[in-house]
């Protein structure tokens, strides 16, 4: 009788049952302990009704600004540099006298958008004219005078023999590990900042040169002195020692904006034409075949020292009209630059770059240059010729 009566009663909804259960648990003493133990008080930043903080006792005190991460949308002030020369990616591997015939990318400044007060022309950032006139090679003569005055003011009186020997001894490998490496790209723009950073701690810095730039070491020394206003006091093979000057002040160092990426090289005219000037098509083809069959004069190592390459080619032209240089393993752009330097320094005519070889021809009316000795292996600067000859004789005796 009881079961049917219970079944006939109306069942209460689920929500009412849950509310009654909660009320029962909250009233029990064990439930209050659990609630106190597991209760969570949200912080003021997450609570819907934040608590009112006490007023600042010092309202006039300047508060530290909140940290804000850097953003590319922020307005960046353009850096102004008073250096009297055009900014290029490489100063030894590019020439202002050679005009490119095209660009491989839009004229995006490698210094970053709005970070430099000079306009990027696709090749350089000119110091005087923001237009493309400086690419033509016609440099303002006032810049040359300004560079000479600035360099003379920094250098001061020349070094004595004892001072130069002391600085050279301090830059030896057994005395210091400070060194700047000059590689296949030559003297780059950011390397100027590295040189000034080294000059903070020492009067002279050692520079190790390897790669394509070592074909013309005279140009490397000239560009180093022209762009840093320093002085090369020793040259031994691919090692240079660059002196900062007597009146150099690291606190007044020039402002050198850094390049954020390497720009694409522009398009230059072809080095090798279809036919060599003065020869027919058949004669040009025959000369290229003979050039590839000639025994190699030397084999160039990758990122090696090529300072003796020009004298070797000049000596070989006294006997043979064609010279082949084996460049197996080198980058194509590297041995093209080497061939371009040989064409201007020897001088000679480029025949072909096929099969990773450099084949050059001395020309029809070849006359050996008067300065047969191209560049000494070891040379002191700022001193009489007797010191240079003495150092050369000592090197020759050591080689023998």
């Amino acid at each position: 009788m009881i079961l049917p009566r219970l079944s006939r009663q109306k069942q209460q909804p689920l929500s009412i049952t849950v509310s009654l259960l909660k009320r029962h648990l909250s009233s029990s003493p064990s439930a209050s302990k659990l609630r106190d133990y597991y209760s969570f008080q949200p912080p003021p930043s997450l609570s819907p009704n934040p608590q009112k903080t006490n007023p600042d006792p010092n309202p006039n005190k300047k508060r530290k600004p909140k940290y804000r991460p850097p953003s590319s949308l922020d307005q960046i002030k353009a850096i102004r540099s008073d250096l009297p020369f055009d900014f290029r990616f490489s100063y030894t591997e590019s020439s202002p006298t050679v005009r490119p015939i095209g660009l491989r990318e839009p004229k995006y400044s490698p210094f970053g958008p709005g970070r430099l007060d000079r306009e990027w022309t696709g090749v350089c950032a000119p110091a005087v004219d923001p237009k493309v006139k400086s690419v033509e090679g016609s440099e303002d003569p006032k810049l040359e005078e300004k560079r000479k005055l600035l360099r003379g003011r920094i250098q001061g009186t020349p070094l004595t023999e004892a001072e130069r020997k002391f600085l050279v001894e301090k830059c030896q490998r057994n005395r210091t590990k400070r060194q700047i490496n000059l590689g296949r790209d030559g003297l780059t723009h950011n390397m100027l900042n590295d040189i000034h950073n080294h000059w903070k701690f020492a009067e002279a810095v050692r520079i190790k040169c390897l790669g394509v730039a070592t074909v013309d070491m005279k140009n490397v020394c000239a560009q180093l002195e022209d762009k840093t206003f320093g002085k090369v006091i020793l040259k031994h093979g691919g090692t240079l020692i660059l002196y900062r000057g007597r009146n150099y002040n690291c606190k007044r160092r020039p402002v050198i904006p850094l390049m954020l990426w390497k720009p694409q090289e522009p398009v230059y005219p072809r080095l090798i034409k279809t036919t060599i000037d003065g020869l027919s098509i058949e004669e040009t083809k025959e000369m290229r075949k003979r050039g590839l069959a000639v025994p190699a004069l030397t084999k160039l190592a990758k990122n090696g020292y090529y300072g003796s390459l020009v004298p070797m080619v000049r000596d070989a032209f006294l006997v043979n009209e064609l010279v082949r240089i084996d460049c197996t393993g080198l980058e194509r752009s590297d041995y093209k630059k080497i061939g371009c330097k040989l064409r201007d320094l020897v001088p000679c005519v480029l025949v072909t770059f096929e099969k990773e070889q450099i084949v050059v021809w001395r020309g029809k009316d070849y006359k050996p240059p008067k300065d047969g000795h191209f560049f000494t292996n070891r040379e002191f600067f700022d001193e009489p010729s007797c010191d240079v000859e003495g150092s050369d004789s000592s090197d020759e005796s050591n080689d023998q």
Side-chain angles (χ1 to χ4, degrees), residues 267-287:
V267 182
Y268 290 99
R270 294 187 60 179
L271 293 175
I272 298 178
K273 301 178 181 179
T274 306
T275 58
I276 300 175
D277 295 339
L279 300 179
S280 62
I281 298 178
E282 291 76 11
E283 292 175 345
T284 303
K285 291 181 179 180
E286 183 64 25
M287 182 172 291

Side-chain angles (χ1 to χ4, degrees), residues 218 235-237 305 373-381 388 391-392:
K218 280 187 176 180
K235 183 262 173 187
H236 180 61
Y305 175 70
H373 195 61
F374 177 67
F375 202 64
T376 56
N377 185 37
R378 183 180 180 91
E379 184 173 352
F380 287 98
F381 297 84
V388 178
S391 60
D392 292 340

Side-chain angles (χ1 to χ4, degrees), residues 206-303:
R206 186 175 70 243
I207 302 175
K208 183 67 175 178
C209 305
L210 292 174
V212 181
T214 58
V215 177
D216 190 3
M217 287 298 296
K218 280 187 176 180
N219 183 38
V220 174
C221 296
Q223 292 296 334
L224 279 171
E225 293 181 349
D226 185 55
K227 300 302 184 291
T228 63
F229 309 112
K231 180 67 178 176
V232 178
I233 58 176
L234 175 69
K235 183 262 173 187
H236 180 61
T239 304
L240 304 174
I241 295 180
L242 188 64
Y243 173 60
R244 66 183 185 182
R246 290 186 183 273
N247 303 327
Y248 179 82
N249 187 358
C250 60
K251 295 182 180 180
R252 298 180 180 178
R253 55 178 289 182
V255 178
I256 303 176
L258 298 180
M259 284 192 178
L260 305 183
W261 64 82
K262 178 181 178 180
Q264 288 285 340
E265 294 185 1
V267 182
Y268 290 99
R270 294 187 60 179
L271 293 175
I272 298 178
K273 301 178 181 179
T274 306
T275 58
I276 300 175
D277 295 339
L279 300 179
S280 62
I281 298 178
E282 291 76 11
E283 292 175 345
T284 303
K285 291 181 179 180
E286 183 64 25
M287 182 172 291
R288 285 172 181 164
K289 289 182 181 179
R290 288 193 296 114
L292 293 173
V294 170
L297 176 65
T298 183
K299 185 181 185 303
L300 301 182
K302 189 174 182 179
N303 293 331

Side-chain angles (χ1 to χ4, degrees), residues 79-93:
I79 301 175
R80 178 175 178 80
S81 180
D82 295 330
L83 289 173
F85 54 84
D86 299 348
F87 291 162
R88 295 174 173 270
F89 173 73
S90 178
Y91 296 105
T92 57
E93 304 309 307

Side-chain angles (χ1 to χ4, degrees), residues 151-351:
R151 185 167 178 270
R153 191 183 310 136
I154 294 174
Q155 287 298 313
T157 57
L159 294 173
T160 62
E161 182 180 357
E163 290 173 338
R164 191 189 67 247
K165 287 183 178 180
F166 175 74
L167 291 174
V168 170
E169 184 64 27
K170 284 183 65 176
C171 293
Q172 297 302 318
R173 290 185 178 180
N174 58 349
R175 299 289 299 274
T176 180
K177 294 183 179 180
R178 294 184 178 276
Q179 176 177 299
I180 295 178
N181 297 320
L182 190 146
R184 56 182 298 194
D185 290 329
L187 178 62
T188 58
H189 178 77
N190 290 354
M191 200 176 292
L192 304 179
N193 189 57
D194 297 339
I195 292 173
H196 284 280
N197 289 339
H198 278 267
W199 279 346
K200 285 183 181 180
F201 309 101
E203 294 182 88
V205 60
R206 186 175 70 243
I207 302 175
K208 183 67 175 178
C209 305
L210 292 174
V212 181
T214 58
V215 177
D216 190 3
M217 287 298 296
K218 280 187 176 180
N219 183 38
V220 174
C221 296
Q223 292 296 334
L224 279 171
E225 293 181 349
D226 185 55
K227 300 302 184 291
T228 63
F229 309 112
K231 180 67 178 176
V232 178
I233 58 176
L234 175 69
K235 183 262 173 187
H236 180 61
T239 304
L240 304 174
I241 295 180
L242 188 64
Y243 173 60
R244 66 183 185 182
R246 290 186 183 273
N247 303 327
Y248 179 82
N249 187 358
C250 60
K251 295 182 180 180
R252 298 180 180 178
R253 55 178 289 182
V255 178
I256 303 176
L258 298 180
M259 284 192 178
L260 305 183
W261 64 82
K262 178 181 178 180
Q264 288 285 340
E265 294 185 1
V267 182
Y268 290 99
R270 294 187 60 179
L271 293 175
I272 298 178
K273 301 178 181 179
T274 306
T275 58
I276 300 175
D277 295 339
L279 300 179
S280 62
I281 298 178
E282 291 76 11
E283 292 175 345
T284 303
K285 291 181 179 180
E286 183 64 25
M287 182 172 291
R288 285 172 181 164
K289 289 182 181 179
R290 288 193 296 114
L292 293 173
V294 170
L297 176 65
T298 183
K299 185 181 185 303
L300 301 182
K302 189 174 182 179
N303 293 331
Y305 175 70
Y306 313 136
S308 59
L309 186 61
V310 173
M312 290 174 64
V313 175
R314 287 178 176 177
D315 294 341
F317 278 159
L318 299 176
V319 181
N320 301 320
E321 64 174 357
L322 289 172
V323 172
R324 179 171 68 90
I325 302 170
D326 190 1
C327 302
T328 306
L330 270 69
E331 298 287 341
R332 184 172 179 83
S333 60
D334 288 355
Y335 60 77
K336 277 190 172 183
K337 291 178 182 177
I338 293 173
C340 183
K341 290 176 181 290
L342 291 176
R343 180 193 63 183
D344 300 333
L345 297 174
V346 174
C348 58
V349 180
L350 295 173
V351 177

